[in-house]
Amino acid sequence: MSLDPHSGVPLHRQLAAALRARITAGEWPPGALLPPAARIGYDYGVGKATVQAAVTALRAEGVVDVERGVGIRVRVQAEREIVSVPRGALIDARMPTPAERRDLDIPEGVPVQVVTLGGRVRGVHPADRVTLRLR
């Protein structure tokens, strides 16, 4: 997929879409490293800032992780756990606090599901690993 600077869609979004499509097609399976950012920029004819913006978008979507000193890796989706939620509970989705990200080992870009019952928080669950089921 080539990028079109005249399309009206920012180049970093076009690049993110192109990389996402290649990941979805299985060219880079879960756990695989993408080419180095410099190579991606060369292949698509864009600069470092465009590649960084595209990777940042994919990271925020939970598609890739960036490991310092290693590279850009396709995120391996965790096995899902089913958690029962009592009737009457409210479930909200939001981005985790830094403490929640650390305590729950949540990668950047992954939201949490917050279960509240009777005005009290009953649980905070990583959205990429937990499915909530009504009891």
Side-chain angles (χ1 to χ4, degrees), residues 10-134:
L11 286 174
H12 75 278
R13 288 190 184 168
Q14 292 181 53
L15 179 57
L19 296 174
R20 189 183 310 103
R22 292 173 73 180
I23 291 168
T24 301
E27 185 172 337
W28 298 305
L33 285 172
L34 272 63
R39 178 61 194 218
I40 293 171
Y42 177 80
D43 288 349
Y44 285 92
V46 295
K48 181 179 179 179
T50 301
V51 174
Q52 286 177 333
V55 170
T56 297
L58 292 174
R59 191 175 180 190
E61 293 171 21
V63 175
V64 300
D65 289 314
V66 177
E67 301 174 37
R68 292 194 193 283
V70 176
I72 307 161
R73 187 178 302 278
V74 177
R75 184 173 290 167
V76 175
Q77 298 302 317
E79 196 169 316
R80 299 193 72 80
E81 172 187 358
I82 296 176
V83 173
S84 293
V85 176
R87 289 195 183 279
L90 298 175
I91 302 168
D92 290 308
R94 64 170 170 76
M95 296 310 290
T97 65
E100 289 168 339
R101 186 181 315 281
R102 182 188 63 248
D103 294 346
L104 298 171
D105 193 26
I106 302 172
E108 186 174 328
V110 175
V112 291
Q113 302 170 95
V114 181
V115 179
T116 307
L117 184 63
R120 292 183 43 210
V121 173
R122 301 295 177 147
V124 178
H125 307 282
D128 67 336
R129 300 189 306 250
V130 173
T131 298
L132 300 177
R133 180 186 324 174
L134 189 63

